Amino acid sequence: METRLDPWGAVHVEDYTKLFEEFGISSFDDILPYLAEPHRYMRRRIIFGHRNYNAVLAAMRSGRPFAVMSGFMPTGKAHFGHMMVMNEIIWHQQQGGDAFAAVADMEAHSVRGISWKRCRELGIEEYILSLIALGFQPKENSHIYFQSENLDVRDLAFELGIEANFSEVSAIYGFSGETCISHMESVMVQSADILHPQLAKYGGPKPVVIPVGADQDPHIKLTRDLARRMRRFLVERRGGYISVRGKAAGQELMKAAESALLGTGLGEVKRYEEHIDLTDLRLREGQSIDDAQQEIEELIISLETEHGEYGFIPPASTYHRFMTGLTGGKMSSSKPESYIALTEDPKEAAGKILRAITGGRQSLAEQKKLGGEPERCSIYEFLLFHLSEDDRELLELELECRSGRRMCGTCKKDVAERIERFLHDHQQAREAARERLPEFGIRL
Ligand code: TRP
């Protein structure tokens, strides 16, 4: 990040900052300085927000377990928007995380009426092959799966359904009396997707980040609530002391918590009917009260898991901006001209670029005088998001455009060539990935 003058800060960020205030999403700017090698989406503020990423960051930096998880609904062509999520999963896997990718066939089948057969075809052809081609690695704790085939997820979904009621989910998703029950179930399945990396079978509780577009935030919020409700204790700071509330802990668990707290020597332990207080704190050398709270939280989580409980940590999330469609407005699968699919013929894709709406002016003369407007240009976005890895190159292109030295015609040709090359290489990598499907446990 040598450059401070950033061409990527400006693009419609204002709309997104509202999300910070209204919905309690935190700015990713707070995280960025702590990442040794941030992904270009992070450097360029395409990933602009997060919930609780600090926990993931801490695990990443200390070499402790963490995971990344996201899902794809197999309803049609995978495009460059989906590729962002794929790259975010892969980046976190490269940082040492366990990685999970779901093909949301239960959702596609129940909500969109896509047949199981079609879900499977689309899942493999559109999503899984690209995910592998882009660098998803087969590892012990990394899984690509179909929701319908993952019994751990399905069992957990049923269990989570006990903690969510109809009024709550209808307020979030607009369900009505007409909504079919499988649609509602698919919401629990998605929460189970998100939480299942923390099951004992997958290594137990750990920070898990869910990279998504901002529109998916309601799912994240609901799942964070469900995670909390599945806990047996709530560890809270109360001014100068720490309180461990047994929300749904029986006598045995309360007793175990009491002796575990005594064992820490961190302060005076006082047990009440439904909570245990830790007062007169004796912090360790260099330990802050936040650290002490964290230590106790972890202690209580392992206590819960030792007693066969879930001990879930609320999942973290990151939010990325969406790309504008090539025709202006949103990318939409019902408008093929608005997006480029990862399986698109490279020549045809180049054609779409040449026909796309740019941030250019009415006439050549005006463009020379006023310069272009990259922040309104779908072609520039392709460079920003995908086709120029080098920040300095991007900055140069941006300045050339703004100063009226780079004309749309030249630029489009350049980007069309880049996209053609990218798709050609990606599609070759997909064919190599096809041979490797069994390594990921995917049968054809
Ligand atoms: N509902 C998501 C979509 O519409 C897909 C999805 C399923 C998902 N399971 C998930 C996303 C888990 C993130 C995490 O695209």
Side-chain angles (χ1 to χ4, degrees):
M1 291 264 306
E2 328 85 318
T3 46
R4 264 309 311 156
L5 208 193
D6 66 358
W8 35 88
V11 196
H12 304 310
V13 187
E14 316 85 69
D15 306 343
Y16 288 104
T17 49
K18 275 208 207 99
L19 292 170
F20 299 159
E21 289 140 35
E22 280 176 38
F23 299 103
I25 292 175
S26 309
S27 166
F28 204 78
D29 289 355
D30 308 339
I31 301 289
L32 201 55
Y34 299 100
L35 291 169
E37 285 176 49
H39 190 273
R40 70 170 179 279
Y41 300 153
M42 298 170 170
R43 300 197 308 267
R44 298 177 182 179
R45 313 291 202 281
I46 290 166
I47 291 176
F48 64 90
H50 73 97
R51 281 186 194 274
N52 204 33
Y53 196 83
N54 305 66
V56 178
L57 183 67
M60 220 184 262
R61 284 162 61 100
S62 60
R64 289 194 302 172
F66 69 97
V68 59
M69 190 289 132
S70 199
F72 305 90
M73 238 217 291
T75 52
K77 295 258 156 221
H79 53 58
F80 279 74
H82 299 111
M83 186 174 78
M84 290 172 66
V85 177
M86 297 181 190
N87 284 332
E88 290 167 38
I89 294 175
I90 292 161
W91 184 85
H92 283 96
Q93 190 187 41
Q94 288 165 349
Q95 306 305 306
D98 298 338
F100 297 80
V103 176
D105 59 344
M106 291 174 82
E107 186 179 354
H109 185 65
S110 63
V111 180
R112 302 286 182 84
I114 312 235
S115 75
W116 294 113
K117 182 161 173 283
R118 186 81 185 123
C119 280
R120 190 158 182 95
E121 281 164 14
L122 286 172
I124 293 174
E125 281 303 318
E126 293 299 322
Y127 297 90
I128 298 178
L129 288 178
S130 282
L131 198 53
I132 299 171
L134 291 167
F136 191 104
Q137 293 296 329
K139 284 197 181 147
E140 191 181 330
N141 260 329
S142 287
H143 303 277
I144 301 176
Y145 66 92
F146 287 84
Q147 285 175 329
S148 65
E149 293 179 354
N150 189 326
L151 289 186
D152 299 322
V153 166
R154 295 178 65 162
D155 287 348
L156 181 57
F158 188 80
E159 210 62 44
L160 293 173
I162 297 171
E163 295 295 336
N165 67 40
F166 178 70
S167 324
E168 176 183 34
V169 291
S170 31
I172 299 175
Y173 299 102
F175 293 161
S176 72
E178 315 297 302
T179 308
C180 77
I181 290 175
S182 299
H183 184 169
M184 296 183 203
E185 272 185 51
S186 78
V187 171
M188 289 299 109
V189 174
Q190 165 149 348
S191 289
D193 282 332
I194 293 173
L195 291 173
H196 91 284
Q198 300 193 59
L199 292 174
K201 177 172 169 185
Y202 299 91
K206 63 177 83 58
V208 182
V209 58
I210 320 299
V212 284
D215 65 318
Q216 299 283 313
D217 187 51
H219 293 308
I220 302 289
K221 263 175 78 175
L222 172 67
T223 309
R224 284 171 59 80
D225 283 342
L226 292 176
R228 289 189 200 95
R229 288 178 209 164
M230 302 297 278
R231 291 289 304 276
R232 290 295 166 258
F233 290 99
L234 178 65
V235 178
E236 287 176 312
R237 261 278 277 297
R238 291 277 173 81
Y241 67 97
I242 293 168
S243 160
V244 179
R245 193 143 58 85
K247 302 186 305 166
Q251 284 308 309
E252 193 197 328
L253 259 177
M254 282 297 275
K255 201 149 171 244
E258 184 184 10
S259 56
L261 286 170
L262 273 170
T264 63
L266 273 172
E268 294 303 315
V269 177
K270 274 190 227 124
R271 166 136 176 228
Y272 299 87
E273 185 75 30
E274 288 180 345
H275 68 280
I276 307 168
D277 283 345
L278 189 69
T279 59
D280 305 294
L281 294 180
R282 290 188 290 274
L283 298 175
R284 302 185 210 292
E285 182 89 13
Q287 191 180 40
S288 69
I289 183 160
D290 280 341
D291 299 337
Q293 184 181 348
Q294 185 58 29
E295 181 180 329
I296 289 171
E297 172 75 5
E298 283 166 22
L299 183 74
I300 294 292
I301 285 175
S302 38
L303 199 88
E304 287 189 35
T305 55
E306 279 159 25
H307 284 75
E309 304 290 340
Y310 292 110
F312 289 141
I313 300 172
S317 51
T318 57
Y319 302 97
H320 55 244
R321 289 169 32 201
F322 294 109
M323 294 182 72
T324 323
L326 289 169
T327 46
K330 274 174 72 170
M331 271 196 199
S332 156
S333 33
S334 55
K335 280 189 289 175
E337 278 290 306
S338 73
Y339 70 90
I340 291 174
L342 296 175
T343 49
E344 191 138 338
D345 175 66
K347 285 257 178 289
E348 272 165 36
K352 285 186 183 177
I353 293 286
L354 296 175
R355 292 189 294 275
I357 291 188
T358 68
R361 305 285 176 175
Q362 297 295 353
S363 68
L364 210 58
E366 220 175 279
Q367 174 117 353
K368 280 190 178 149
K369 199 166 108 211
L370 301 171
E373 296 181 287
E375 69 278 7
R376 307 160 57 115
C377 181
S378 64
I379 301 292
Y380 176 72
E381 263 188 18
F382 260 96
L383 290 165
L384 172 69
F385 281 62
H386 304 296
L387 299 173
S388 165
E389 178 57 37
D390 179 356
D391 289 351
R392 222 166 315 171
E393 176 199 60
L394 185 69
L395 186 63
E396 254 165 52
L397 294 176
E398 194 252 353
L399 287 176
E400 269 182 44
C401 169
R402 266 189 210 294
S403 63
R405 280 176 288 140
R406 186 172 168 89
M407 296 297 132
C408 293
T410 331
C411 189
K412 277 179 165 179
K413 239 197 246 140
D414 172 17
V415 176
E417 270 165 34
R418 290 186 198 222
I419 208 135
E420 218 177 304
R421 209 173 324 127
F422 175 85
L423 287 176
H424 174 267
D425 294 349
H426 179 62
Q427 288 164 16
Q428 230 165 26
R430 280 171 49 90
E431 287 320 305
R434 201 181 289 281
E435 309 292 310
R436 295 178 52 215
L437 283 172
E439 284 176 53
F440 296 84
I442 309 283
R443 294 165 284 101
L444 269 184

